[in-house]
Amino acid sequence: ITTKEEMRKRGYEHRPIMAIWSFKRKRNPFGQITKYKARLCCHGGQTIKGVHYEETFSPVVAWSTVRFMLTLSEVYNWHARQIDFVLAFPQADVKTDIYMNVPEKFRVENGKLVLDESAPHPSKQGNVLKLIKNIYGLADASLTWHMHLKKGLLDFGFQQSQVDPCLFFKGNLLFVLYVDDGVVLTPNKTEADNLIADLKQRGYILTDEGSLAAYLGLQIDRLPGNRISLKQPAFIDRIIKQCNLKDQRMHDTPAIEILHRDEHGPPRKNEFHMRSIVGQLNYLASTSRPDIQFAVHQCARFVAEPKMSHEKAIKRIIRYLKRTRDKGMIMHVDKSKGIECFVDADFAGGYRKEDPTNPRDCLSRTGFIIKFAGCPIVWSSKLQTTIALSTTEAEYMALSMACREVIYLINLTDELRSQGVELVSSQPQITCQIFEDNAGAIELAKLPKLRPRTKHLAIQYHHFRSWTVKGLNGEDPKIKINYISTALQEADIMTKPLAKQQFESLRERLCGW
């Protein structure tokens, strides 16, 4: 506690930041309230770059890394322990001089904050607070905390991954971090105990949540037969409740048609918040429900000006989730398999004869699924950014996009092995099998052959070719591209609405149910 006069004597000429109270009910993945939290935060919108902070970006672990680590833990029977840092951000010191107003309804008396309902407005009081700790609300609060924890992990002997900055390793001891939620993976339970004890000794305040059963809203269950179940029934219930559908109808598939802008269509009727629902559905699709990825992505394109046709599409997804609320993704670990990738493209799937001049309808859709040990690690359904002129070109562009994620996974496995993590010892290197159902795209990926219809392809789409050919020393290519029939192409579920029978067949291969 200091005064505004003293603040100015120290050369601080800016207005102090407002103090804000934040109240929150914290729930577990089952939807149950676990605690009521009240935090004193500062108004981050009043902070000034160059005065209160310099950089704000703080990395969070990629979901692909989380699923990859879960699969590794099942393959090698590693111990998984969850750590929760209590009031994480204030454990770090602030990096600059920051002054904050006295909280509303408080005043300073004898050097202490005293609750007083009749206290003057904070801006009219002569006292201010000089921040010592990194409290919530600061623009760079997350980054400051990340650097603080990173220092403690490096001091313990960890090394930071160059592929994912939120993955740390020390031999076979792995640490995955998402802001203030950490997961320790190790073959030896004692190493996890030693890490937790060391962090506490270094002054970090944390709770040991025990064996990994829930992480970032996911229910994680180990099932018999080398299987891992990921599901979010409470989150699905919350989404369904927000839509407030009047009838009890349910659907067997999440999509039946390709959506368009529908500029002259009837306006929507339901009052649910379209952006909020689509945002939550997108999170659900990217974490535990890849079966709705295509349906959600095409709805997300039209949240700015939604029409009745788009609202009906959202309702269909919700009715599909009502039928499958207890389902998620069952990852069946097959130790004999390495990295596999299924790639598909829907060439100009949105093209309509009634509106042939709309360039957005001519874009093709890319869909891919990347697996490790038979478990889905990465999946995506996106429109391509440029118009393909043939099915071969559309498939090749999809192949290029998928290979970016494949190369990331290969680099991650190579890095883990180089740092002493014991992966499959029978393989000299991690290779990837990519399954593609277009012969032209496969030939284009393997042979640097120019043709009149493909020579215009940009360099950005050829970046992975060096990974598909033998090395100078005769070593096998790290990426092998194979043909697969369309009926067995799992990525087909990511590119277009499918009939019930085909959808359920591919869903079983992808989600395990």
Side-chain angles (χ1 to χ4, degrees):
I1 299 173
T2 184
T3 62
K4 291 181 179 178
E5 184 180 350
E6 181 65 25
M7 178 186 75
R8 294 188 183 96
K9 283 183 180 178
R10 295 176 184 175
Y12 191 87
E13 298 298 332
H14 303 277
R15 293 172 59 186
I17 303 167
M18 285 176 58
I20 306 288
W21 280 106
S22 170
F23 303 97
K24 185 178 180 181
R25 291 170 295 184
K26 191 169 183 179
R27 301 175 185 269
N28 60 21
F30 304 96
Q32 302 160 336
I33 297 174
T34 56
K35 63 176 74 171
Y36 294 87
K37 303 178 76 171
R39 284 179 181 160
L40 182 63
C41 309
C42 71
H43 193 313
Q46 296 179 350
T47 54
I48 304 170
K49 185 170 184 178
V51 177
H52 303 111
Y53 66 92
E54 292 296 335
E55 301 295 334
T56 60
F57 174 75
S58 176
V60 294
V61 68
W63 270 107
S64 53
T65 303
V66 173
R67 284 187 287 265
F68 183 64
M69 292 301 148
L70 284 174
T71 306
L72 280 180
S73 70
E74 187 65 30
V75 170
Y76 300 108
N77 197 27
W78 286 346
H79 174 70
R81 184 87 66 84
Q82 185 173 0
I83 297 174
D84 183 28
F85 292 90
V86 181
L87 282 175
F89 289 9
Q91 295 187 35
D93 296 331
V94 291
K95 296 183 289 186
T96 57
D97 286 341
I98 302 177
Y99 292 88
M100 185 174 74
N101 280 326
V102 173
E104 198 169 345
K105 307 292 185 184
F106 279 82
R107 60 181 174 83
V108 176
E109 185 177 292
N110 298 325
K112 294 182 179 180
L113 285 179
V114 178
L115 180 64
D116 184 357
E117 291 290 334
S118 60
H121 190 272
S123 62
K124 297 180 179 179
Q125 296 190 37
N127 294 99
V128 290
L129 308 177
K130 184 177 189 298
L131 297 187
I132 301 172
K133 292 295 184 178
N134 169 53
I135 70 171
Y136 289 88
L138 292 173
D140 64 342
S142 184
L143 176 61
T144 302
W145 156 248
H146 179 82
M147 299 304 293
H148 177 65
L149 179 58
K150 175 184 171 182
K151 182 180 183 303
L153 293 173
L154 295 180
D155 289 344
F156 185 74
F158 275 95
Q159 287 190 330
Q160 187 178 26
S161 169
Q162 298 299 312
V163 181
D164 190 324
C166 289
L167 172 64
F168 298 83
F169 36 70
K170 180 185 178 184
N172 273 358
L173 180 61
L174 305 178
F175 185 85
V176 178
L177 178 67
Y178 190 101
V179 188
D180 59 353
D181 289 308
V183 174
V184 183
L185 299 167
T186 173
N188 188 349
K189 181 176 178 294
T190 306
E191 292 187 22
D193 295 333
N194 293 339
L195 172 62
I196 293 172
D198 183 80
L199 289 174
K200 289 182 177 178
Q201 189 176 356
R202 293 175 187 273
Y204 293 95
I205 305 170
L206 56 92
T207 57
D208 182 358
E209 303 289 331
S211 297
L212 186 63
Y215 189 60
L216 304 180
L218 261 73
Q219 289 179 225
I220 303 174
D221 298 308
R222 300 288 181 96
L223 305 177
N226 288 335
R227 294 182 301 160
I228 306 172
S229 170
L230 306 178
K231 57 184 180 180
Q232 299 166 280
F235 185 46
I236 292 175
D237 285 341
R238 202 159 78 227
I239 298 174
I240 294 172
K241 185 177 180 181
Q242 290 177 44
C243 282
N244 194 26
L245 300 184
K246 304 299 181 183
D247 57 71
Q248 299 299 317
R249 283 185 294 162
M250 300 182 187
H251 291 305
D252 295 315
T253 60
I256 56 171
E257 62 180 351
I258 293 178
L259 299 180
H260 300 89
R261 192 168 296 278
D262 199 14
E263 295 176 349
H264 306 294
R268 54 179 300 226
K269 296 179 180 179
N270 203 302
E271 294 182 355
F272 64 78
H273 195 281
M274 193 82 163
R275 286 183 184 272
S276 176
I277 294 295
V278 169
Q280 293 174 74
L281 287 173
N282 191 46
Y283 179 76
L284 179 66
S286 63
T287 52
S288 64
R289 293 299 297 268
D291 51 321
I292 65 170
Q293 180 74 68
F294 163 76
V296 173
H297 183 269
Q298 67 166 358
C299 289
R301 296 179 57 208
F302 309 108
V303 293
E305 297 180 22
K307 300 294 184 179
M308 190 61 194
S309 58
H310 309 133
E311 182 178 297
K312 286 181 178 178
I314 291 290
K315 289 180 178 179
R316 184 175 184 90
I317 299 173
I318 299 301
R319 291 188 174 109
Y320 170 72
L321 290 176
K322 286 175 71 175
R323 185 178 291 279
T324 59
R325 67 167 296 279
D326 292 324
K327 302 292 186 180
M329 186 170 64
I330 299 176
M331 302 164 67
H332 193 161
V333 176
D334 186 345
K335 300 179 182 180
S336 65
K337 294 181 178 179
I339 301 175
E340 297 175 309
C341 178
F342 296 84
V343 188
D344 194 26
D346 184 27
F347 173 58
Y351 177 76
R352 297 176 296 161
K353 290 183 179 179
E354 53 269 30
D355 188 13
T357 59
N358 189 344
R360 298 292 298 174
D361 291 345
C362 298
L363 293 174
S364 303
R365 180 173 288 274
T366 291
F368 62 82
I369 300 165
I370 303 175
K371 293 183 173 184
F372 176 75
C375 301
I377 303 297
V378 187
W379 54 82
S380 178
S381 175
K382 291 183 179 179
L383 283 181
Q384 295 176 359
T385 54
T386 56
I387 296 175
L389 304 181
S390 65
T391 54
T392 294
E393 187 175 338
E395 296 277 0
Y396 187 72
M397 288 160 65
L399 200 57
S400 173
M401 188 179 294
C403 280
R404 297 171 200 177
E405 292 291 338
V406 167
I407 292 170
Y408 157 80
L409 269 183
I410 292 177
N411 287 337
L412 183 58
T413 53
D414 285 347
E415 182 184 48
L416 290 173
R417 177 171 289 162
S418 68
Q419 296 298 328
V421 179
E422 296 175 6
L423 298 179
V424 183
S425 57
S426 60
Q427 287 183 303
Q429 63 178 1
I430 296 291
T431 60
C432 174
Q433 301 275 357
I434 295 188
F435 298 97
E436 170 63 60
D437 60 2
N438 184 278
I442 295 174
E443 185 182 1
L444 194 59
K446 292 181 177 180
L447 302 174
K449 194 174 179 182
L450 289 178
R451 301 170 182 77
R453 296 184 65 184
T454 57
K455 64 182 181 181
H456 63 282
L457 287 178
I459 294 174
Q460 62 175 317
Y461 298 122
H462 293 308
H463 68 94
F464 67 96
R465 260 192 186 157
S466 61
W467 294 71
T468 66
V469 297
K470 285 192 175 184
L472 295 176
N473 298 323
E475 65 265 19
D476 290 334
K478 285 203 167 187
I479 295 178
K480 299 175 183 178
I481 305 176
N482 305 315
Y483 179 79
I484 192 173
S485 67
T486 302
L488 299 177
Q489 176 57 275
E490 295 184 23
D492 206 30
I493 200 172
M494 297 287 173
T495 59
K496 60 183 76 70
L498 300 174
K500 177 184 175 183
Q501 184 176 359
Q502 177 71 352
F503 176 81
E504 290 182 348
S505 173
L506 294 179
R507 184 183 64 189
E508 182 181 359
R509 296 168 64 91
L510 177 60
C511 297
W513 50 273

